[in-house]
Amino acid sequence: MQSVPNIPRRIVSGRLALSIGAAAAAFGAIGMYVYWHRTAWDAVRLESPLSLAICAGGTIGALAIAGEIFRTTITRVGRSIGYWESLALAVAGVAIDTVFPLHGGAAFRGVYLRQRHGLPVAAFVAAMLGYSVLRLFTAAVLAFAASLWLSAGQPGLSHGLQACLWVAGACIVGAALMCGISPGVVRGIVPKPLIGVIDAFHTGWATIVGSRRFLVRLFLLTAAQLVCEMVAIWGAWDAVGARLGLATTAVVTCFGVLAGLAGFTPGGLGLTELVTVSVGSAVAVEPVLGIAASLLARGVNLGIIAIMSPVAFGSLGIYRRR
């Protein structure tokens, strides 16, 4: 098993500053747009409390499936972990990611698993990198297919949909290259810390694809999680009067997922909202409604995490004392 790459502290500090700056810049851009269009913003209303409840249900469903994904993956790398402990770890990880950038929640889960279950951090990092690329690939393929479906219904391909197709296609190619290029090929070309990440990913990917049954199960769970996230996004946008079709919901959701996977800001804060609003505008949704819906979806997510986090951290404390 490869060791976790040792990244210099100055690089981590620089990435932290960049992450916080990116979140501030994203929300600053959203705030300026709202200010310039405050008349339209003042007209935004919550039109459907039922859709808001659907958004909450989709968010809870995505978290529940995340717990099963985490349990299945950790069991695959040799440590037995129960579903409720796994769900608590998933919730705690999301809560920490909301506050700390650079996937701080994953670091917390890795340390917890090492202390309670004796799982090497390197094994955890490898498994999570493998799952992250599978999630990226699934979201990118769905985004590309949905964008293609939307473009087929138009007489001419809009610039927005062209951009969606190019970005989704680039993500698909990037995920395929990650899976196909061995660390030895890029050794000496890319920085050494990145070589460590590539080594860890290939170890985790080999674990995932080593069992066809496990790969199919993990893919189906990942797809189900995306469906729940689509339900949450549809509910948030419908609650403010932005009616999204199935393909449009898939495009907006998947690009939000891709933005969140980048980990540039805490929990994708600001960046996810900016991306989803931009993608919504590309498929002819009024930006002001997109901003309201994105902020509403974020608020629902934060509210659910705030309610579940004390229970999750308390449960993990009990598990650790056993």
Side-chain angles (χ1 to χ4, degrees):
M1 177 67 65
Q2 300 291 333
S3 62
V4 178
N6 185 21
I7 302 177
R9 183 175 297 179
R10 67 179 185 278
I11 295 179
V12 174
S13 300
R15 289 179 181 175
L16 183 62
L18 182 62
S19 174
I20 296 172
F27 274 118
I30 292 173
M32 289 179 65
Y33 187 91
V34 169
Y35 177 77
W36 289 333
H37 300 81
R38 52 189 178 276
T39 303
W41 177 260
D42 290 340
V44 176
R45 295 289 184 272
L46 179 64
E47 296 191 3
S48 174
L50 176 60
S51 295
L52 187 61
I54 290 173
C55 173
T59 302
I60 293 171
L63 279 172
I65 294 173
E68 179 59 20
I69 289 173
F70 193 64
R71 187 199 68 80
T72 302
T73 305
I74 297 306
T75 302
R76 174 64 182 166
V77 295
R79 295 295 186 275
S80 178
I81 178 172
Y83 172 75
W84 294 110
E85 184 178 12
S86 174
L87 179 59
L89 274 173
V91 172
V94 173
I96 293 172
D97 278 334
T98 303
V99 180
F100 296 101
L102 308 178
H103 301 292
F108 168 81
R109 287 179 290 182
V111 171
Y112 174 92
L113 288 169
R114 182 187 63 188
Q115 293 178 348
R116 169 161 164 74
H117 295 281
L119 178 68
V121 174
F124 169 78
V125 170
M128 288 298 101
L129 281 173
Y131 159 69
S132 295
V133 173
L134 178 63
R135 179 165 161 81
L136 183 151
F137 182 78
T138 306
V141 168
L142 182 55
F144 187 88
S147 299
L148 204 59
W149 178 269
L150 289 172
S151 64
Q154 295 184 357
L157 190 59
S158 67
H159 293 301
L161 281 176
Q162 286 183 36
C164 290
L165 286 168
W166 277 106
V167 173
C171 290
I172 293 171
V173 172
L177 287 176
M178 279 287 290
C179 297
I181 296 180
S182 66
V185 174
V186 295
R187 201 175 302 277
I189 301 175
V190 300
K192 185 175 292 186
L194 188 56
I195 289 292
V197 173
I198 294 173
D199 280 338
F201 161 71
H202 274 273
T203 301
W205 187 246
T207 301
I208 290 175
V209 300
S211 168
R212 182 176 298 178
R213 181 178 179 181
F214 173 74
L215 176 61
V216 170
R217 177 177 175 79
L218 190 60
F219 171 76
L220 291 176
L221 285 170
T222 302
Q225 186 182 33
L226 278 174
V227 169
C228 287
E229 289 167 333
M230 286 175 58
V231 170
I233 290 298
W234 181 89
W237 288 60
D238 190 75
V240 297
R243 311 292 186 232
L244 301 184
L246 179 61
T248 305
T249 303
V251 171
V252 171
T253 303
C254 290
F255 275 101
V257 169
L258 294 175
L261 282 172
F264 289 142
T265 61
L269 199 63
L271 185 61
T272 300
E273 286 74 18
L274 190 61
V275 168
T276 53
V277 170
S278 301
V279 172
S281 301
V283 292
V285 176
E286 174 60 40
V288 170
L289 288 179
I291 291 172
S294 297
L295 294 179
L296 185 61
R298 175 67 69 176
V300 169
N301 181 272
L302 292 177
I304 290 172
I305 291 300
I307 293 171
M308 296 178 69
S309 291
V311 178
F313 282 107
S315 299
L316 292 176
I318 294 173
Y319 281 122
R320 285 191 62 185
R321 288 194 292 271
R322 286 182 178 177

